[in-house]
């Protein structure tokens, strides 16, 4: 396996997410029954109405739209960060039920993530990091054997030697309102590089599925002064341009 790269797929989302959001919002103010409301919404574009809805920050209706992402090539370090977002559902590859035991080949090693700053040091640094991962693989294999190599009961203890760099895979489901909050925090330059890259790719995919809902989504500095205050990266103009063209 060895070094892995980030991969994100939007697996599923609420069908016609912008229509269901418009229905939820209009229901609050309309005397029409639901079937009549449904026909009216389907008959015309809801983009102008949704634009006003987002402008007024009437965000509870967008909770009716949910998005499920398949995520690979991320570290266990990232897992610790993303699960702090409470209004979300996670299914994560288990290090207890899925063994990281290597095959017979000497060069086999669990999947891992190389931090960009280590990669930027050049080939020698990358090789040193890879060698360390292989050593950890050997330690892991040794503990599996010493603990009896009996599946989950050994994996659950052998995994304690695995590093934060070890790759994991997950499915993540969030509603649109929580995604806006997630993007606001994690697309920021102050966010850690890995979760920032993940959030930016998730936003790119979400924009394709619901362009009006996510039109202004991104870090806090897109709509006003940087919320980080004295800790600002000082690159608000550059950030705004990047997300405008996402």
């Amino acid at each position: 396996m060895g070094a892995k790269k980030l991969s994100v797929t939007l697996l599923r989302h609420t069908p016609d997410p912008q229509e269901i959001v418009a229905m939820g919002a209009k229901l609050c103010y309309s005397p029409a029954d639901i079937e009549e409301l449904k026909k009216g919404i389907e008959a015309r574009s809801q983009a102008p109405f949704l634009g006003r809805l987002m402008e007024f920050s009437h965000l509870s209706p967008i909770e009716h739209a949910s998005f499920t992402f398949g995520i690979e090539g991320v570290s266990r370090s990232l897992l610790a960060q993303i699960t702090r977002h409470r209004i979300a559902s996670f299914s994560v590859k288990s290090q207890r039920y899925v063994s990281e035991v290597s095959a017979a080949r000497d060069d086999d090693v669990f999947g891992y993530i190389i931090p960009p700053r280590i990669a930027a040091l050049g080939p020698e640094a990358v090789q040193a990091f890879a060698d360390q991962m292989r050593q950890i693989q050997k330690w892991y294999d040794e503990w599996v054997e010493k603990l009896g190599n009996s599946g989950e009961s050994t994996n659950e203890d052998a995994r304690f030697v695995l590093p934060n760099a070890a790759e994991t895979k997950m499915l993540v489901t969030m509603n649109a309102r929580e995604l806006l909050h997630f993007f606001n925090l994690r697309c920021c330059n102050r966010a850690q590089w890995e979760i920032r890259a993940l959030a930016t790719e998730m936003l790119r995919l979400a924009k394709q599925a619901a362009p009006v809902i996510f039109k202004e989504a991104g870090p806090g500095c897109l709509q006003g002064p940087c919320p980080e205050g004295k800790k600002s990266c000082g690159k608000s103009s550059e950030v705004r341009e990047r997300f405008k063209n996402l």
Side-chain angles (χ1 to χ4, degrees), residues 133-204:
M133 296 301 105
R134 289 190 183 90
Q135 181 59 60
I136 292 172
Q137 178 71 69
K138 291 177 181 177
W139 291 334
Y140 176 88
D141 293 346
E142 288 172 5
W143 281 117
V144 167
E145 289 302 316
K146 289 177 180 178
L147 293 168
N149 196 7
S150 55
E152 64 184 86
S153 63
T154 54
N155 295 342
E156 67 182 8
D157 291 335
R159 64 181 169 173
F160 275 67
V161 300
L162 292 172
N164 273 342
E167 185 215 11
T168 194
K169 302 175 177 66
M170 68 185 84
L171 259 63
V172 177
T173 301
M174 296 185 188
N175 69 49
R177 189 176 191 177
E178 178 60 15
L179 278 172
L180 288 178
H181 174 66
F182 177 70
F183 297 147
N184 182 267
L185 296 179
R186 301 300 188 169
C187 289
C188 174
N189 275 355
R190 291 265 303 150
Q192 185 258 1
W193 63 267
E194 189 179 19
I195 200 166
R196 183 172 70 246
L198 171 61
T200 302
E201 181 60 12
M202 289 170 64
L203 173 55
R204 187 185 69 80

Side-chain angles (χ1 to χ4, degrees), residues 4 7 14 40 45 48 67-68 80 86 99 102 109 125 136 153 157 171 175 191 193 216 218 233:
K4 307 290 283 186
S7 175
T14 301
S45 170
F67 300 77
T68 298
R86 309 298 178 81
S99 176
S102 64
V109 64
I136 292 172
S153 63
D157 291 335
L171 259 63
N175 69 49
W193 63 267
E216 306 295 340
C233 70

Side-chain angles (χ1 to χ4, degrees), residues 26-220:
K26 289 187 175 183
L27 182 65
C28 298
Y29 308 106
S30 173
D33 61 34
I34 289 179
E35 187 59 30
E36 182 182 354
L37 194 64
K38 178 176 179 289
K39 289 178 180 178
I41 285 172
E42 291 174 346
R44 64 182 67 88
S45 170
Q46 296 304 313
F49 174 72
L50 285 174
R52 293 193 298 274
L53 191 74
M54 302 305 293
E55 183 181 347
F56 297 151
S57 295
H58 183 189
L59 299 182
S60 61
I62 74 172
E63 295 174 15
H64 293 297
S66 66
F67 300 77
T68 298
F69 298 87
I71 300 168
E72 300 178 275
V74 294
S75 69
R76 300 290 293 196
S77 178
L78 180 139
L79 178 63
Q81 297 181 74
I82 196 170
T83 50
R84 294 178 187 139
H85 292 268
R86 309 298 178 81
I87 307 175
S89 298
F90 301 94
S91 296
V92 182
K93 175 187 171 184
S94 171
Q95 288 182 330
R96 182 186 185 195
Y97 294 103
V98 181
S99 176
E100 296 288 0
V101 173
S102 64
R105 302 192 313 273
D106 289 339
D107 63 344
D108 200 15
V109 64
F110 57 85
Y112 58 84
I113 311 305
I114 303 178
R117 291 183 66 187
I118 291 178
L121 295 175
E124 290 186 3
V126 170
Q127 185 59 55
F129 191 84
D131 291 343
Q132 290 166 354
M133 296 301 105
R134 289 190 183 90
Q135 181 59 60
I136 292 172
Q137 178 71 69
K138 291 177 181 177
W139 291 334
Y140 176 88
D141 293 346
E142 288 172 5
W143 281 117
V144 167
E145 289 302 316
K146 289 177 180 178
L147 293 168
N149 196 7
S150 55
E152 64 184 86
S153 63
T154 54
N155 295 342
E156 67 182 8
D157 291 335
R159 64 181 169 173
F160 275 67
V161 300
L162 292 172
N164 273 342
E167 185 215 11
T168 194
K169 302 175 177 66
M170 68 185 84
L171 259 63
V172 177
T173 301
M174 296 185 188
N175 69 49
R177 189 176 191 177
E178 178 60 15
L179 278 172
L180 288 178
H181 174 66
F182 177 70
F183 297 147
N184 182 267
L185 296 179
R186 301 300 188 169
C187 289
C188 174
N189 275 355
R190 291 265 303 150
Q192 185 258 1
W193 63 267
E194 189 179 19
I195 200 166
R196 183 172 70 246
L198 171 61
T200 302
E201 181 60 12
M202 289 170 64
L203 173 55
R204 187 185 69 80
L205 295 171
K207 275 190 169 186
Q208 294 175 5
V212 179
I213 292 174
F214 295 106
K215 180 181 178 181
E216 306 295 340

